[in-house]
Amino acid sequence: QVQLVESGGGLVQAGDSLRLSCVVSGGTFRNYVMAWFRQAPEKEREFVCAIRFSATNTYYTDSVKGRFIISRDNAKNTVYLEMNRLKLEDAAVYYCAAVVGYRATNPFDGSTYDFWGQGTQVTVSS
């Protein structure tokens, strides 16, 4: 059984940085396309970023380009989300998601992903 466990969320001020981690167990991590999604109160879940096996294959939503960095350590079965220059609108519950690579025809779409973590809260204050 594949499990994803996020950590690293918390309360920060606007302009600060935060790094989220997601550890995957029960599967072959290097085979997965990994992604981060987020959901703010009363809003729909939205795609944040994704990464294929190769760190050169990454995808970002426009609102985080240049501020967020997704990376992975295949030896540690972990994907990271480095969030810089955080804004009030970045506040949300952040979810890690995984899908086997050949099934990731559309990495931007949440329905692509088979496995999800429980989420970690990111709160940004002014």
Side-chain angles (χ1 to χ4, degrees):
Q1 183 177 359
V2 179
Q3 291 187 320
L4 284 65
V5 179
E6 303 99 333
S7 62
L11 171 63
V12 296
Q13 290 189 324
D16 285 351
S17 298
L18 200 61
R19 189 175 82 156
L20 306 183
S21 301
C22 173
V23 179
V24 180
S25 61
T28 304
F29 181 74
R30 65 179 180 273
N31 291 341
Y32 294 131
V33 171
M34 300 298 302
W36 290 95
F37 287 78
R38 65 187 180 187
Q39 187 167 19
E42 301 182 357
K43 292 189 176 181
E44 292 189 354
R45 181 181 63 193
E46 66 168 343
F47 171 83
V48 178
C49 55
I51 186 169
R52 293 189 180 271
F53 171 79
S54 169
T56 59
N57 290 341
T58 57
Y59 312 87
Y60 295 91
T61 192
D62 286 345
S63 64
V64 307
K65 284 181 181 176
R67 298 189 299 122
F68 289 14
I69 301 172
I70 187 171
S71 62
R72 64 191 295 162
D73 185 335
N74 291 329
K76 295 183 178 180
N77 290 1
T78 302
V79 62
Y80 303 98
L81 178 60
E82 180 180 342
M83 304 185 291
N84 301 305
R85 304 194 304 278
L86 281 160
K87 302 177 180 180
L88 295 177
E89 53 264 40
D90 293 319
V93 177
Y94 282 72
Y95 297 92
C96 177
V99 64
V100 175
Y102 73 91
R103 288 170 46 80
T105 54
N106 182 359
F108 302 91
D109 185 349
S111 65
T112 293
Y113 297 86
D114 294 323
F115 308 108
W116 292 83
Q118 81 290 348
T120 186
Q121 178 72 51
V122 173
T123 304
V124 183
S125 65
S126 58

